[in-house]
Amino acid sequence: MQEDTNVPAPGMPPEVLQAAQILAGKHNNGSGWFTWIAGLSLVNSAVILLGSTWSFLIGLGATQIIDGFAMTTAENIEAPAKTIILAVAFLIDLIIAGSFFLWGMLARKGYRWAYIVGIVLYSLDGLIFLVFQDFPSLGFHIFALYYLVNGFRACGQLKQLIAAYPDLASGQ
């Protein structure tokens, strides 16, 4: 299952089609969370590095630590060194967030290992919020992990359904 799992093929028994559609929806929803995590983490980073103090709960703790370190380091430094420090921090943020975007793209294509890597990394990232006792962000990590795990499970179930009904794969 290398292709996107959006719409099953017609001509199958209605209950099989319905099950495949439900599983494909859960799978796509789960993999889509990686994109939200990546995108909002970059928004958080941009906002923080531009000097604001608010952020989205869904963002990554790792990027927030990098941004905080960069802001503290650059606090008493003159331009252009300050700009370089903040740019390097944002570049690191791009790499971290980009990896989550990549896990999402691969997960959407049906690579269950990408879900696993992303879920493990996002779980570890959640521990940052536990250490800093940021319970709203930790709670949102748990909420997002629920949907990531559901997407992972749906991906596996959809693969089993396609194995049982190979014509499902041809309609995508």
Side-chain angles (χ1 to χ4, degrees):
M1 184 172 79
Q2 302 288 329
E3 301 165 0
D4 200 357
T5 54
N6 288 323
V7 181
M12 287 282 123
E15 60 277 358
V16 172
L17 287 173
Q18 183 180 17
Q21 288 172 337
I22 290 168
L23 290 171
K26 288 180 179 181
H27 164 53
N28 288 333
N29 182 34
S31 64
W33 275 88
F34 287 114
T35 302
W36 282 106
I37 291 164
L40 292 177
S41 292
L42 288 177
V43 170
N44 284 347
S45 292
V47 167
I48 290 169
L49 293 172
L50 291 172
S52 185
T53 57
W54 67 269
S55 64
F56 291 106
L57 293 175
I58 195 173
L60 293 165
T63 57
Q64 290 181 25
I65 286 176
I66 290 164
D67 298 338
F69 179 75
M71 292 297 288
T72 302
T73 302
E75 199 170 87
N76 297 318
I77 297 176
E78 298 293 323
K82 180 176 186 171
T83 304
I84 292 170
I85 290 169
L86 298 180
V88 168
F90 193 72
L91 179 62
I92 294 169
D93 293 340
L94 275 172
I95 293 168
I96 293 170
S99 73
F100 277 84
F101 182 77
L102 177 64
W103 305 140
M105 297 306 296
L106 293 172
R108 181 156 304 212
K109 290 182 180 263
Y111 294 105
R112 295 184 79 212
W113 63 266
Y115 268 113
I116 294 169
V117 170
I119 288 168
V120 168
L121 291 175
Y122 196 61
S123 296
L124 292 172
D125 187 79
L127 294 177
I128 293 169
F129 294 112
L130 181 61
V131 169
F132 287 100
Q133 298 183 356
D134 182 351
F135 297 116
S137 292
L138 176 63
F140 202 87
H141 265 58
I142 293 167
F143 179 77
L145 283 166
Y146 170 81
Y147 286 100
L148 291 171
V149 170
N150 274 349
F152 170 75
R153 292 177 59 206
C155 179
Q157 292 168 344
L158 184 58
K159 282 185 172 212
Q160 289 176 345
L161 196 59
I162 289 172
Y165 296 93
D167 289 342
L168 284 172
S170 64
Q172 297 176 20

